[in-house]
Amino acid sequence: MSKPGIDPIRRHSRFPVSWQCCGGDGTAFGRKGQSSDLTARGWRVTGAMPVVPGTQLTLKVSIPDRSTLLCIHRAIVLWVKEQEFAI
């Protein structure tokens, strides 16, 4: 029997987060989204950023209880499904 939050084919546990983020792909910045399902290898983002797998993004993430934004200079989009994508 699998543990809650662990998919039988998933190698890493998912941790729910609700972090606001904005980002861009080098041509436009400021697209807003929300990150969730943090894992050791990446996370899922929900938002209106039109991206395709392989797109490289720069993200600024607002993490509760942290005074400065987390800046990610190179995140690669792994998959896209409607308004969600993984980096």
Side-chain angles (χ1 to χ4, degrees), residues 1 5 23 28 40 42 46 57 64 72 74 84:
M1 178 175 249
T46 303
L57 300 174
I72 300 171
R74 185 173 175 236
E84 296 181 334

Side-chain angles (χ1 to χ4, degrees), residues 43-45 51-54 76-81 84-87:
W43 62 47
R44 182 173 46 145
V45 177
V51 294
V52 296
I76 299 173
V77 176
L78 302 173
W79 56 258
V80 177
K81 183 178 179 185
E84 296 181 334
F85 59 93
I87 56 171

Side-chain angles (χ1 to χ4, degrees), residues 23-50:
D25 60 4
T27 60
F29 196 86
R31 300 177 188 156
K32 295 183 179 182
Q34 182 165 329
S35 52
S36 60
D37 287 346
L38 180 66
T39 73
R41 308 251 327 154
W43 62 47
R44 182 173 46 145
V45 177
T46 303
M49 293 183 207

